[in-house]
Amino acid sequence: QRCARQQPAPRPRRPPGQRTSRHTLAHGDRFEIAAYVMVFVDKDGAPVPDGPDGPAPAEQEQRQWTVLSGLLGGSAESKRLQALFEISQAMEASTDFRAVLHKIMEKAVSIMGAERGFLMLRDLSSGELEVHVAIDAQGEDIVGAEQDTTSGTVMRRVMETREPVNVMNAMSDEWGSESIIAHSIHSCLCAPMMSRDDVSGVIYVDHRSRPRAFSQDDFAFF
């Protein structure tokens, strides 16, 4: 990461790769993460000041430019960014593996307004998926038989293809399997969890009261 404060006076840029543990963002600050250059502004609609290399490009060119408006703002983009930041903090701070998994699913369910969330890991001996985290919309643990009311059809497809799936209408001819109909699942998202070249499990959220519950932005975040 590289940080350069633009106001009230420019600071020398930090050398590439230098670790930054804490930095209070001011309007116009820029920082680079991989191929992204992010610009912090105080609020939506505020003009973005010129950077050290001149004005910010009007269109995406060699790099992708992203404007962050107050991390405590109410926009969906800000909430998603804040959720990812909190997840990364939990992964660094906690030695409790299940607590980290629980935190990930809490954020996924909360941000997307899902009714339930499941994190399944593949058993190394049997190859079968086992529930490690199952929570409802309030973040409470789902226990007992309720854990078995997910769509095995969707999860198997994700495991086999290694591609995420956004089921917008689970009652359609494509997805209307016995398990989906029996458990009244209308919408769901499912994504593979990769460990190097192997699928180690899946994360899954669903909604059992309405179709098209999740947008393409939800899918991309998931």
Side-chain angles (χ1 to χ4, degrees):
Q1 299 181 17
R2 293 186 291 180
C3 297
R5 186 162 183 161
Q6 303 301 315
Q7 293 183 355
R11 291 181 181 178
R13 284 194 175 189
R14 301 187 182 191
Q18 180 176 333
R19 182 177 179 85
T20 302
S21 59
R22 181 177 294 272
H23 176 77
T24 302
L25 293 174
H27 182 72
D29 277 3
R30 287 166 164 76
F31 54 98
E32 301 178 16
I33 301 177
Y36 293 87
V37 178
M38 296 188 178
V39 184
F40 181 81
V41 297
D42 289 336
K43 60 183 179 179
D44 287 334
V48 179
D50 293 346
D53 301 321
E59 298 179 357
Q60 292 182 347
E61 295 180 70
Q62 293 181 344
R63 295 176 181 270
Q64 298 185 50
W65 290 71
T66 303
V67 176
L68 307 180
S69 297
L71 295 180
L72 299 180
S75 69
E77 292 79 6
S78 295
K79 290 180 179 179
R80 290 189 178 101
L81 182 66
Q82 183 70 19
L84 293 176
F85 176 69
E86 291 177 7
I87 287 171
S88 68
Q89 282 187 314
M91 293 175 68
E92 289 185 358
S94 178
T95 57
D96 185 336
F97 181 59
R98 189 180 183 282
V100 172
L101 300 183
H102 203 282
K103 183 73 170 181
I104 291 172
M105 293 312 301
E106 279 182 1
K107 289 298 175 183
V109 169
S110 173
I111 288 294
M112 292 180 292
E115 286 189 352
R116 307 182 306 166
F118 295 81
L119 193 149
M120 322 276 283
L121 295 180
R122 182 170 56 86
D123 181 81
L124 295 179
S125 58
S126 67
E128 297 296 321
L129 289 173
E130 295 183 349
V131 177
H132 278 251
V133 179
I135 61 173
D136 60 20
Q138 287 72 46
E140 300 294 329
D141 288 334
I142 296 172
V143 297
E146 182 72 4
Q147 287 192 359
D148 297 326
T149 59
T150 57
S151 173
T153 302
V154 172
M155 291 184 182
R156 283 191 295 273
R157 177 180 294 195
V158 169
M159 291 287 288
E160 292 170 359
T161 64
R162 304 186 175 196
E163 295 291 335
V165 167
N166 180 4
V167 180
M168 304 185 75
N169 183 5
M171 296 300 175
S172 65
D173 292 339
E174 179 186 3
W175 294 104
S177 66
E178 289 184 6
S179 62
I180 286 178
I181 294 172
H183 304 315
S184 300
I185 298 169
H186 283 72
S187 309
C188 67
L189 297 176
C190 188
M193 298 180 67
M194 304 298 297
S195 177
R196 295 186 176 88
D197 295 329
D198 295 328
V199 183
S200 57
V202 298
I203 52 176
Y204 169 100
V205 295
D206 66 16
H207 211 292
R208 295 188 291 179
S209 60
R210 73 176 193 267
R212 301 184 181 275
F214 307 111
S215 68
Q216 286 302 110
D217 287 340
D218 292 330
F219 187 42
F221 171 74
F222 198 63

